[in-house]
């Protein structure tokens, strides 16, 4: 079967397709992977690559399920331990359930220094976890020597240290090292010179590097450049040289260039060669030597195992000293080395038998992405080692007694060996609120279950909330959900699945949105019971709101997010760090109204135009229509009121819809045909009438020059599938909003042709209306515009005619449609894709396929399980530090891009202290409090603030309402009014947060800001 003829199940894989692209997806679907070791790290990798959709995976493991496996492997259950099942047997069916397209089998044969390795030839990638170094070397040599080489990945996790090693052969070709989509950048000028210099329009940065190549399109004048690729030499962020252009024609105007993606070859050495001269990635720039220090320590750990046939004993000082001596010996043999880190070696020795599930999740996400790179050649591979330690998690615990870390025969023994019994108990007692149960939410719940966060017997609890239902496209990365869960609520389903991993967890699942409307549920007393809040959200607005609530209630917040292979984590600690709202991303640039309406230049403009058309025709107008007739009881009443000269908001638009309302399927087809004419023929004719091709601006330059593209009218042709799709999809959507029945037969080409043969297209008459060309102009709101007397008369006549023909209750109803991008049977995407493609054709814009159109129209965020698993693991590591009450210096924020790959760990931004004056400081976490009573006046409030905080208030504001601004007329009278009367709190309101400004030290200076002042309506802070 040819690779490209394979169907990709878009309903399952759509979010991942946007990350990897179809070519990589096809290659995965033909690749077999061998994965050895079903511990915490192995099961993470198995989950991620099966979700991604490889052809086949063999899970290899020779061990039996033990109690402590329950704390690291989320697919092993208590009954597996009791019935003494093998780990491979236990997990194989559960891994297979994750993706019906992947064949999962298991093997429990011995894999050691004597095994014949020829069986590995049927795999494209081999991953070893829990394997001794000697075996890793042997398997790697075998893989490297094959033609073509089998890609090899070795992964290990011992206590606080993890490593990943990659060897993809002598020459590994990568089709696309970054995965970034090249942008079309418009040209301002190209000089006729040697070298010729290209300048970008509007000083846009080109983002190029010297040595890359660009291809030119649509250049006027210097037309020889079109379609050719030229290597660039960067001169500035906005200009670059492209070699000799002196013999070409003079540049006139227009054109754009696009970066040419060129494949890159990577060279790998074997594990044996890389041991003494390792090439490492440095994730934490505050400790650049750490990777080499972990390298030496983990090699010494392997030697320790060779010599003693065991790992160092937990808390054994002698073993730690032996390991330290071995590390020094190993380090002496390395070419690329750093000084031995004694603390790291001792911590590794103490925790080597243990396991930190979040660390396995974080590095498992990275290693899984390397597996996908190995079999697809998409994205730059890791060269060649990745090391990470979690020393910050265990550093403050070193003074605890050895008994703290000893096993107790339960599922937490692995964790206990790392963080001790007291920390385990604190985790069990934790009360967490997690907002969102999508991809990050599922991964977080898995970490909670393995860490034992929120156990019922310790009065702990994990409260989760998410209003969404499960859709098929979620199953590709929200790994707690299965096909039979589709259309069930995410939160309750995730809670059930989490209790399967750890039955002792107390999970309370809600279906609410967290927003001002639910503040009655998630009120201050709710937050006061929590230890911390975790966000697993996919939008900035919700994060901002949750952040405000956490700051107001002094609660730590752990935030994270992903976009494709990129991820970030942010830790927000009361009084230590800045909050989420302390930094603002620049707002998304809006496409100017006139560009969308008349002058699109790139495909994004035509897609947005089509999406706006859908919203206006099938959602906004039907909603407005229905609510109008709910307000006004009958057509007759509306007519009487209009005849008496009353103006009713929206009446003109509503009556127009009523008078033109289709009642049969064939009228829907007719309307669609007339809309085709309006959008794709007349729009072009009108624009060319208003601005003929030779139109010039005041400065003498051409009106129609880049980025403006002159349109060409499209002649309707039913034989053209694009034209046919537009007519049928639009007619179906019209039938949907007007509740008009139609049959499958009505959609046939024959039936549509028959209806269209009777449709008369009126002759085109150009109008003299003004076309907006100002890029700063906003879209006018027709609802708010006053009607002309002519429009009023027209509306009255239309309404009279409608009443004469009979206005039934059905005619006063319309059903708005909610845009649903993932259901291909509803015609929504058919309409948007065909309308966008026709408009692109009309303006000679390179069209986009349906997949890209769907991503842009549906504002889909590309997503893949590897990145999701990694961010959740990193967040859960920080959670342990929060529970331990660690200091500022131990916390880490992270940004990563698994594609490149780059991982950057940094300290959070420390909280800023703002000076009010004379040693009075405040930060975002401060809140001053004043307790009042029923008769407490505004004047009393001002005095109370002055007495308590030693500073003169000058202005008091509540939300957007100004309570007291001295310069405002009448405000001085308010000083005598009670706070109750001024604020008018709701019955159950205990307090309000007021914004208070303070008097400057010198006259004429600005008023000084201060923290919010929380005013309680009663002396004890209870409800008045």
């Amino acid at each position: 079967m040819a690779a490209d003829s394979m169907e990709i199940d878009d309903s399952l894989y759509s979010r991942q397709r946007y990350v990897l692209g179809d070519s990589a997806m096809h290659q995965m679907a033909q690749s077999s992977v061998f994965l050895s070791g079903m511990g915490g790290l192995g099961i993470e990798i198995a989950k991620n690559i099966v979700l991604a959709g490889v052809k086949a995976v063999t899970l290899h493991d020779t061990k039996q399920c033990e109690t402590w496996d329950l704390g690291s492997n989320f697919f092993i259950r208590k009954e597996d331990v009791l019935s003494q099942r093998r780990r491979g047997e236990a997990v194989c069916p559960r891994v297979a359930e994750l993706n019906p397209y992947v064949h999962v089998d298991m093997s429990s044969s011995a894999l050691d220094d004597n095994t014949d390795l020829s069986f590995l030839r049927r795999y494209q990638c081999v991953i070893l976890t829990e394997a001794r170094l000697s075996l890793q070397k042997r398997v790697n040599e075998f893989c490297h020597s094959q033609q073509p080489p089998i890609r090899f990945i070795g992964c290990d996790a011992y206590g606080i240290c993890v490593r990943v090693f990659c060897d993809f052969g002598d020459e590994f070709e990568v089709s696309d090292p970054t995965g970034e989509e090249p942008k079309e950048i418009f040209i301002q000028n190209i000089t006729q010179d040697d070298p010729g210099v290209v300048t970008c329009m509007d000083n846009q940065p080109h983002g190029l590097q010297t040595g890359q190549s660009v291809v030119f399109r649509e250049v006027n004048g210097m037309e020889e450049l079109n379609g050719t690729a030229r290597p660039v030499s960067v001169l500035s962020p906005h200009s670059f040289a492209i070699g000799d252009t002196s013999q070409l024609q003079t540049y006139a105007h227009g054109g754009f260039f696009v970066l040419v993606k060129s494949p890159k070859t990577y060279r790998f050495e074997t594990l044996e060669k890389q041991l003494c001269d390792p090439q490492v990635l440095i994730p934490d720039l505050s400790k650049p030597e750490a990777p080499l220090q972990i390298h030496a320590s983990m090699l010494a750990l392997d030697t320790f195992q060779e010599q003693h046939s065991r790992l160092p004993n937990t808390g054994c000082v002698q073993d730690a000293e032996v390991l330290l001596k071995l590390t020094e010996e190993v380090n002496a043999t390395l070419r690329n080395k750093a000084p031995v880190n004694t603390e790291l070696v001792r911590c590794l020795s103490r925790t080597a038998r243990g396991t930190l599930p979040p660390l396995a999740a974080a590095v498992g996400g990275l290693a899984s992405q390397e597996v996908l790179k190995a079999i697809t050649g998409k994205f730059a591979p890791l060269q060649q080692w990745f090391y990470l330690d979690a020393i910050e998690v265990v550093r403050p615990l070193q003074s605890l007694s050895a008994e703290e870390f000893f096993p107790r025969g339960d599922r937490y023994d692995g964790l206990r060996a790392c963080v001790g019994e007291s920390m385990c108990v604190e985790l069990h007692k934790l009360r967490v609120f997690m907002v969102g149960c999508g991809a990050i939410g599922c991964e977080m719940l898995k970490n909670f279950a393995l860490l034992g966060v929120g156990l019922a017997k310790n009065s702990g609890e994990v409260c989760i909330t998410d209003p969404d239902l499960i859709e098929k496209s979620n199953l590709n990365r929200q790994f707690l959900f299965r096909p039979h869960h589709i259309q069930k609520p995410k939160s309750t389903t995730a809670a059930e699945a989490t209790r399967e991993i750890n039955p002792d967890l107390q999970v309370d699942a809600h279906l609410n949105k967290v927003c001002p409307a639910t503040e009655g549920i998630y009120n201050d007393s709710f937050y006061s019971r929590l230890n911390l809040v975790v966000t697993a959200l996919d939008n900035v607005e919700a994060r901002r709101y949750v952040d405000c609530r956490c700051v107001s209630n002094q609660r730590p917040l752990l935030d994270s997010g992903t976009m494709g292979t990129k991820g970030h984590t942010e830790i927000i600690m009361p009084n230590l760090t800045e909050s989420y709202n302390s930094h603002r991303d620049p707002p998304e640039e809006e496409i100017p109204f006139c560009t969308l309406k008349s002058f699109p230049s790139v495909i994004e403009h035509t897609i947005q135009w089509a999406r706006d058309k859908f919203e206006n025709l099938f959602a906004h107008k039907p909603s407005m229509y229905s609510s109008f007739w709910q307000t006004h009881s009958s057509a007759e009443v509306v007519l009487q009121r209009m005849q008496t000269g009353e103006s009713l908001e929206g009446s003109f638009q509503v009556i127009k819809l009523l008078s033109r309302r289709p009642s049969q399927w064939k009228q829907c087809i007719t309307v669609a045909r007339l809309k085709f004419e309006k959008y794709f023929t007349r729009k072009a004719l009108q624009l060319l009438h208003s601005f003929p091709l030779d139109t010039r601006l005041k400065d003498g330059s051409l009106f129609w020059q880049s980025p403006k593209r002159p349109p060409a009218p499209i002649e309707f042709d039913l034989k053209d599938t694009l034209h046919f799709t537009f007519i049928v999809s639009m007619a179906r959507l019209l039938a949907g909003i007007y509740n008009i029945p139609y049959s499958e037969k009505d959609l046939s080409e024959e039936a549509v042709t028959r209806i269209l043969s009777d449709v008369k297209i009126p002759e085109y008459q150009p109008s003299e209306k003004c076309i907006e060309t100002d890029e700063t102009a906003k879209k006018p709101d027709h609802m708010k515009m006053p009607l002309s007397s002519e429009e009023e008369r027209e509306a009255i006549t239309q309404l009279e005619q409608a009443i004469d023909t009979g206005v039934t209750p059905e005619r006063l109803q319309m059903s708005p449609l909610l845009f649903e991008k993932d259901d291909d049977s509803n015609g929504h995407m058919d309409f948007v894709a065909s309308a966008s493609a026709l408009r692109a054709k009309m303006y000679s814009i390179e069209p986009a396929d349906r997949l890209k159109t769907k991503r842009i129209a549906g504002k889909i965020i590309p997503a893949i399980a590897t990145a999701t698993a990694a961010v959740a693991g990193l967040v859960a590591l920080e959670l342990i530090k929060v529970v331990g009450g660690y200091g500022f210096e131990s916390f880490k924020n992270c940004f990563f891009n698994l594609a490149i790959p780059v991982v950057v760990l940094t300290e959070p931004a420390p909280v800023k202290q703002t000076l009010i004056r004379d040693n009075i400081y405040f930060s975002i976490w401060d809140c001053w409090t004043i307790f009042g009573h029923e008769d407490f006046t505004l004047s009393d409030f001002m005095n109370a603030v002055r007495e308590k905080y030693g500073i003169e208030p000058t202005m008091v504001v509540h939300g957007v309402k100004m309570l007291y601004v001295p310069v405002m007329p009448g405000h001085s009278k308010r000083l005598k009014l009670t706070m109750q009367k001024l604020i008018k709190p709701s019955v159950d309101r205990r307090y309000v947060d007021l914004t208070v400004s303070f008097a400057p030290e010198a006259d004429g200076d600005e008023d000084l800001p201060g923290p919010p002042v929380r005013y309680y309506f009663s002396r004890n802070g209870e409800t008045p």
Side-chain angles (χ1 to χ4, degrees):
M1 193 174 187
D4 291 336
S5 64
M6 285 169 49
E7 268 299 303
I8 293 172
D9 182 351
D10 189 62
S11 60
L12 175 65
Y13 290 122
S14 67
R15 308 308 188 257
Q16 182 178 290
R17 272 175 99 169
Y18 296 123
V19 182
L20 297 176
D22 285 6
S23 160
M25 293 283 295
H26 286 308
Q27 274 173 293
M28 285 195 324
Q30 296 175 69
S31 301
S32 300
V33 175
F34 179 84
L35 170 60
S36 174
M38 285 297 104
L41 191 48
I43 198 70
E44 274 291 339
I45 297 170
K47 159 180 66 80
N48 296 336
I49 61 179
V50 169
L51 287 171
V54 296
K55 178 185 171 186
V57 181
T58 299
L59 304 177
H60 170 264
D61 193 88
T62 55
K63 295 182 180 163
Q64 215 171 321
C65 296
E66 295 187 43
T67 303
W68 81 291
D69 279 319
L70 298 172
S72 56
N73 186 320
F74 47 84
F75 276 160
I76 291 178
R77 306 281 174 260
K78 212 168 182 175
E79 55 272 23
D80 300 323
V81 178
L82 297 173
S83 57
Q84 301 187 328
R85 290 178 79 183
R86 287 178 179 275
R87 292 199 305 189
E89 247 172 73
V91 303
C92 186
R94 293 172 189 139
V95 171
E97 249 190 3
L98 290 169
N99 192 337
Y101 294 105
V102 182
H103 177 75
V104 181
D105 61 10
M106 52 158 286
S107 155
S108 52
S109 10
L111 178 60
D112 54 33
D113 296 344
N114 307 314
T115 307
D116 174 6
L117 298 178
S118 56
F119 76 96
L120 291 174
R121 288 197 182 105
R122 60 174 194 271
Y123 300 101
Q124 281 69 49
C125 182
V126 170
I127 308 123
L128 299 188
T129 70
E130 302 192 342
R132 297 284 276 278
L133 198 61
S134 57
L135 179 63
Q136 288 190 43
K137 283 194 225 172
R138 184 170 174 247
V139 173
N140 174 228
E141 288 294 342
F142 174 83
C143 291
H144 194 98
S145 66
Q146 299 303 302
Q147 281 308 335
I150 299 166
R151 322 296 177 204
F152 173 83
I153 298 175
C155 302
D156 295 289
Y158 290 102
I160 59 158
C161 292
V162 285
R163 74 173 161 210
V164 180
F165 170 80
C166 294
D167 171 11
F168 299 167
D170 290 327
E171 289 190 353
F172 180 70
E173 189 170 284
V174 172
S175 58
D176 177 1
T178 66
E180 300 294 333
E181 198 176 335
K183 286 194 179 76
E184 293 178 358
I185 297 185
F186 289 101
I187 295 164
Q188 188 76 50
N189 188 36
I190 307 173
T191 61
Q192 201 177 11
D193 205 346
D194 185 10
V197 174
V198 179
T199 313
C200 306
M201 187 172 280
D202 301 332
N203 268 347
Q204 236 194 318
H206 50 64
L208 300 169
Q209 292 168 359
T210 297
Q212 289 180 321
S213 291
V214 296
V215 68
F216 291 90
R217 305 208 193 285
E218 300 181 20
V219 173
N220 291 286
M222 204 177 271
E223 277 155 23
E224 301 95 325
L225 279 180
N226 287 330
T228 65
R230 291 256 182 152
V232 308
S233 177
V234 173
L235 301 173
S236 82
H238 318 291
S239 64
F240 55 90
I242 53 165
D244 191 356
T245 58
S246 60
Q247 303 306 308
L248 306 182
Q249 297 175 68
T250 310
Y251 173 78
H253 64 85
F256 60 87
F257 62 86
V258 183
L259 170 70
V260 178
K261 287 239 160 182
S262 44
K264 189 173 171 188
T265 300
Y266 292 80
R267 293 184 164 67
F268 289 84
E269 292 183 334
T270 59
L271 182 59
E272 185 72 72
K273 282 191 183 143
Q274 276 278 308
L275 283 178
C276 60
D277 195 6
Q279 196 181 344
V280 295
L281 200 66
I282 300 175
D284 188 344
L285 295 172
S286 70
K287 42 180 194 181
E289 295 178 324
L292 290 173
Q293 292 171 338
I294 307 168
H295 180 73
S297 314
M298 287 183 86
L299 291 186
L301 186 65
D302 205 83
T303 311
F304 186 102
Q305 287 185 81
E306 294 291 338
Q307 290 176 359
H308 300 85
S309 302
R310 65 172 174 84
L311 284 163
N313 285 322
T314 304
C316 173
V317 180
Q318 291 89 333
D319 281 359
E321 292 314 307
V322 172
L323 186 64
L324 187 57
K325 193 163 174 295
L326 285 172
T327 306
E328 279 159 357
E329 287 167 16
V330 167
N331 211 40
T333 67
L334 300 181
R335 270 211 300 279
N336 185 7
K337 61 181 161 195
V340 170
N341 180 337
T342 313
E343 184 190 33
L344 177 81
V345 177
R346 291 201 170 114
C347 286
L348 173 61
S349 177
R350 204 186 71 221
T351 62
R353 287 173 179 260
T355 170
L356 277 175
L359 198 54
V363 83
L366 178 127
S368 311
Q369 191 70 55
E370 295 306 314
V371 177
L372 303 186
K373 293 174 189 179
I375 56 187
T376 63
K378 173 93 175 190
F379 304 139
L382 165 67
Q383 291 210 295
Q384 283 188 251
W385 301 87
F386 176 76
Y387 281 102
L388 191 61
D389 69 74
I391 195 161
E392 291 81 11
V393 172
V394 299
R395 183 174 279 139
L397 309 172
Q398 292 177 83
S399 56
L400 296 177
S401 70
E403 289 79 51
E404 270 277 334
F405 304 92
F406 288 167
R408 299 185 173 213
D410 64 13
R411 66 165 67 225
Y412 305 110
D413 277 348
L415 177 64
R416 194 175 283 112
C418 293
V419 300
E421 168 65 8
S422 304
M423 179 73 87
C424 287
V425 171
E426 288 306 311
L427 287 164
H428 301 338
K429 291 192 324 207
L430 208 60
R431 302 184 71 86
V432 183
F433 181 37
M434 184 169 79
V435 189
C437 262
I440 294 174
C442 284
E443 292 285 341
M444 280 310 305
L445 284 168
K446 168 205 70 186
N447 290 320
F448 292 164
L450 296 174
L451 290 170
V453 165
L455 300 192
K457 65 172 192 277
N458 298 70
S459 306
E461 181 180 76
V462 176
C463 176
I464 57 178
T465 187
D466 194 314
D468 289 353
L469 301 181
I470 295 161
E471 293 169 16
K472 188 175 175 184
S473 65
N474 300 150
L475 305 182
N476 174 231
R477 62 204 176 286
Q478 302 179 17
F479 86 103
L480 297 178
F481 307 143
R482 301 289 173 269
H484 62 270
H485 293 137
I486 290 171
Q487 287 307 301
K488 291 186 174 167
K490 285 186 176 180
S491 61
T492 51
T493 310
E496 239 168 86
T498 308
R499 282 191 288 265
E500 276 186 29
I501 301 173
N502 187 344
D504 303 332
L505 236 64
Q506 177 70 34
V507 189
D508 183 18
H510 301 184
L511 306 177
N512 306 314
K513 219 173 158 170
V514 179
C515 59
T518 54
E519 245 169 70
I521 304 164
Y522 307 117
N523 52 21
D524 292 344
S525 66
F526 172 83
Y527 280 93
S528 69
R529 293 193 295 273
L530 300 173
N531 300 105
L532 78 133
V533 178
V534 176
T535 45
L537 291 159
D538 61 358
N539 70 88
V540 170
E541 261 334 285
R543 282 191 178 95
R544 289 198 187 293
Y545 174 73
V546 174
D547 179 72
C548 286
R549 298 294 288 139
C550 287
V551 169
S552 171
N553 287 282
Q554 305 269 317
R555 289 294 172 263
L557 171 64
L558 301 176
D559 178 55
S560 59
T562 70
M563 184 168 186
T565 55
K566 301 184 182 89
H568 79 269
T569 64
E570 184 176 5
I571 176 152
I572 293 151
M573 289 294 289
N575 305 309
L576 294 181
T577 71
E578 289 288 82
S579 81
Y580 183 82
N581 281 301
S582 306
H583 51 81
R584 294 239 161 195
D585 292 333
E588 270 187 53
E589 271 186 41
E590 275 200 0
I591 305 168
F593 168 64
C594 72
T595 302
L596 278 181
K597 193 169 168 58
S598 307
F599 307 112
S601 55
V602 291
I603 195 67
E604 285 77 4
H605 297 164
T606 74
I607 294 171
Q608 189 58 51
W609 173 86
R611 180 69 184 83
D612 290 351
K613 277 280 173 261
F614 180 98
E615 204 54 32
N616 188 37
L617 294 169
F618 309 119
H620 172 65
K621 280 182 178 169
S623 301
M624 173 191 75
Y625 186 88
S626 300
S627 63
F628 183 89
W629 291 117
Q630 276 163 0
T631 314
H632 306 286
S633 52
S634 73
E636 287 77 7
V637 172
V638 170
L639 181 62
Q640 282 169 1
R641 290 173 68 176
M642 286 179 76
Q643 283 169 334
T644 60
E646 202 178 329
S647 75
L648 306 176
E649 192 178 299
S651 58
F652 182 66
Q653 287 86 356
V654 166
I655 292 165
K656 198 159 129 187
L657 282 169
L658 175 66
S659 67
R660 295 178 179 181
R661 183 184 179 117
S663 56
Q664 296 166 304
W665 168 252
K666 67 177 187 192
Q667 292 168 314
C668 295
I669 291 281
T670 305
V671 172
R673 172 66 187 89
L674 293 170
K675 288 285 189 197
F676 183 101
E677 197 67 17
K678 177 185 173 182
Y679 297 156
F680 309 119
T681 310
R682 302 194 163 196
K683 175 73 184 179
L685 293 168
Q686 181 61 47
L687 272 167
L688 294 172
H689 168 78
S690 302
F691 306 106
L693 288 175
D694 55 3
T695 306
R696 291 192 177 268
L697 298 168
K698 283 181 187 140
D699 64 2
S701 61
L702 279 170
F703 177 83
W704 290 111
Q705 66 163 313
S706 180
K708 280 195 179 71
R709 297 164 171 273
I714 296 176
E715 204 170 308
F716 182 72
D717 173 10
L718 193 58
K719 291 278 174 279
D720 187 318
T721 52
L722 200 55
H723 299 204
F724 179 76
T725 306
F726 175 81
I727 297 290
V728 170
S729 63
M730 178 152 197
R732 284 181 64 197
L733 298 177
L734 288 165
I737 59 173
Y738 290 117
N739 307 312
I740 295 168
Y742 61 89
S743 68
E744 202 55 43
K745 213 167 97 188
D746 289 330
L747 305 176
S748 70
E749 195 176 331
E750 195 185 336
V752 173
T753 309
R754 209 169 37 246
I755 298 169
L756 287 178
S757 62
D758 294 338
V759 177
K760 301 279 179 285
I761 302 294
E763 202 182 323
Y764 167 67
Q765 297 291 334
S767 96
E768 296 310 319
K769 65 178 181 184
C770 176
I771 292 176
E772 184 63 75
T773 57
D774 176 7
E775 292 204 351
T776 59
K778 293 273 179 271
K779 184 179 180 175
D781 184 351
H782 294 294
M783 291 281 286
K784 303 274 187 288
M785 286 162 80
L787 296 183
S788 66
S789 53
E790 191 185 328
E791 285 174 321
E792 275 179 12
R793 280 198 300 278
E794 190 188 331
I796 289 170
T797 311
Q798 284 178 344
L799 189 52
E800 284 170 341
Q801 286 169 350
I803 291 168
D804 290 345
T805 56
V807 178
T808 58
E810 289 77 45
R811 282 187 73 185
L812 299 184
Q813 283 174 348
M814 277 173 88
S815 310
L817 300 177
L818 188 64
F819 181 65
E820 178 41 73
K821 56 193 176 287
D822 286 319
D823 176 1
D824 277 341
S825 65
N826 62 15
H828 296 193
M829 269 313 299
D830 289 344
F831 172 80
V832 171
S834 60
S836 165
L838 282 161
R839 190 167 171 87
K841 204 170 186 172
M842 172 169 128
Y843 283 98
S844 311
I845 293 170
E846 186 83 23
D849 60 13
R850 186 184 176 95
L851 196 68
K852 180 174 176 177
T853 306
K854 175 170 150 177
R855 174 174 62 93
I856 295 168
K859 293 188 163 61
I860 292 174
I861 298 171
I864 189 165
T866 50
T868 312
V871 287
L874 291 163
V875 167
L877 275 179
E878 298 307 307
L879 174 131
I880 299 173
K881 301 174 192 174
V882 174
V883 173
Y886 293 4
F888 176 80
E889 63 295 331
S890 68
F891 294 113
K892 296 283 177 192
N893 286 346
C894 182
F895 167 78
F896 65 71
N897 183 352
L898 299 180
I900 313 184
V902 60
V903 181
V904 183
L905 291 155
T906 54
E907 268 194 358
V911 64
K912 285 193 188 74
Q913 296 287 344
T914 305
L915 175 68
I916 305 181
R917 65 165 200 233
D918 313 333
N919 290 332
I920 303 176
Y921 288 89
F922 77 96
S923 82
I924 52 164
W925 296 99
D926 286 317
C927 182
W928 293 354
T929 49
I930 297 293
F931 292 92
H933 49 80
E934 209 174 331
D935 305 324
F936 207 75
T937 64
L938 177 57
S939 179
D940 294 335
F941 171 80
M942 310 275 275
N943 293 333
V945 171
R946 186 188 310 111
E947 279 167 32
K948 189 168 178 182
Y949 296 105
I951 194 158
E952 182 78 41
T954 51
M955 194 162 84
V956 184
V957 179
H958 175 222
V960 291
K961 186 180 167 195
M962 292 189 239
L963 296 185
Y964 179 68
V965 182
V967 296
M968 298 284 279
H971 271 218
S972 54
K973 291 179 187 160
R974 291 184 172 188
L975 290 166
K976 297 193 188 85
L977 296 177
T978 65
M979 295 294 276
Q980 291 277 100
K981 193 163 185 175
L982 275 170
I983 293 163
K984 302 185 182 72
S986 55
V987 182
D988 55 350
R989 201 69 211 235
R990 293 168 43 238
Y991 68 82
V992 286
D993 284 339
L994 302 173
T995 307
V996 178
S997 300
F998 298 100
E1001 289 182 78
D1003 284 349
D1005 286 356
E1006 292 278 301
D1007 280 359
L1008 302 167
V1013 178
R1014 184 162 289 184
Y1015 172 70
Y1016 287 89
F1017 293 102
S1018 63
R1019 285 197 175 89
N1020 54 7
E1022 294 303 313
T1023 309

